[in-house]
Amino acid sequence: MAVPELNRALVLEAPQTAPDGAGGFALTWGALGTLWAEVVAGAGRDPAGEEVVLSSLALRITVRAAPPGAAARPVPGQRFREGARHFAILAVAERDRDGRFLLCSCREEAPI
């Protein structure tokens, strides 16, 4: 297996809730740190609903491994950010037998 080319700096973010001033909560995102990554695009799709139209692109994002529970280890429910682009993390698994890299199955969605 070839060594991944970690050539893109992505910010790992975790969801946080903050009071919205009306008795409820608003979802915000807090940065956990920057990880160097290899991003490989998969197949895209263009699902349309009655109220929202989104363009969705599957991505495989590879980062260096971190121990379970470490802040630098991505988990489902978090996201990567690169500028204005956001990549939702759907699943995380070891990419290689030695556990040196993690493969994150992600989805980028953007309104069209």
Side-chain angles (χ1 to χ4, degrees):
M1 177 176 287
V3 176
E5 188 175 334
L6 307 178
N7 59 2
R8 292 172 70 172
L10 303 179
V11 177
L12 178 62
E13 296 181 328
Q16 302 171 344
T17 55
D20 66 2
F25 292 93
L27 179 67
T28 61
W29 292 90
L32 299 176
T34 301
L35 301 175
W36 285 94
E38 175 184 69
V39 179
V40 178
R45 44 180 265 194
D46 190 16
E50 290 183 27
E51 299 175 13
V52 178
V53 177
L54 292 176
S55 174
S56 178
L57 177 64
L59 298 156
R60 292 185 322 234
I61 298 178
T62 301
V63 296
R64 290 195 190 282
R73 186 180 178 101
V75 297
Q78 294 178 338
R79 72 180 186 184
F80 291 112
R81 179 176 47 82
E82 182 180 43
R85 298 174 70 185
H86 301 109
F87 312 106
I89 301 172
L90 306 175
V92 179
E94 275 87 21
R95 181 180 186 267
D96 59 332
R97 185 174 55 196
D98 297 328
R100 296 176 297 161
F101 298 99
L102 297 173
L103 179 62
C104 302
S105 298
C106 299
R107 182 185 63 240
E108 178 181 19
E109 290 185 341
I112 56 172

